[in-house]
Amino acid sequence: MAKYLFSGNYKGDGIKGLMNEGGSKRRKAADEAFESVGGKIDCMYYAFGETDLYGICDLPDVASATALSLMINSSGALTISFTPLLTVEDVDAAMTKSPSYRPPGG
């Protein structure tokens, strides 16, 4: 499984729902959503400022992350984004690659 950082912002009815249900019930709903695609939330934190929600999760593949993102974002109650997290081994493996690139105008 791959690790992802997720962040989200509640919108309109999503804010009202969070206020009515509280954080614990929304966390349970999030756990169920992630589990529905074979994933698991490692940690989840609420915040205030520019972003309402942060977390780290395990998801089986990019297709699962995409499906979860589309499902949640289509609700209109929460916008969520996923950022893949790389292990040190992932970075080490990348350093063994020798990509070729010509910059624009080069």
Side-chain angles (χ1 to χ4, degrees), residues 62-87:
V62 173
S64 298
T66 302
L68 190 58
S69 176
L70 291 170
M71 177 185 67
I72 293 171
N73 285 312
S74 72
S75 76
L78 176 73
T79 58
I80 194 167
S81 63
F82 291 88
T83 302
L85 298 175
L86 306 174
T87 65

Side-chain angles (χ1 to χ4, degrees), residues 23-35 44 46:
S24 298
K25 286 186 180 175
R26 292 314 311 152
R27 168 62 195 253
K28 185 174 188 285
D31 284 334
E32 292 169 357
F34 280 69
E35 289 167 4
M44 188 172 110
Y46 289 98

Side-chain angles (χ1 to χ4, degrees), residues 1-4 34 36-40 57-69 82-84:
M1 286 225 231
K3 293 253 186 230
Y4 289 85
F34 280 69
S36 74
V37 295
K40 180 181 181 302
C57 66
D58 289 304
L59 292 169
D61 49 41
V62 173
S64 298
T66 302
L68 190 58
S69 176
F82 291 88
T83 302

Side-chain angles (χ1 to χ4, degrees), residues 4-23:
Y4 289 85
L5 167 71
F6 63 90
S7 59
N9 286 301
Y10 286 95
K11 305 290 180 192
D13 287 339
I15 296 168
K16 292 175 188 173
L18 174 62
M19 291 173 66
N20 289 335
E21 294 182 30

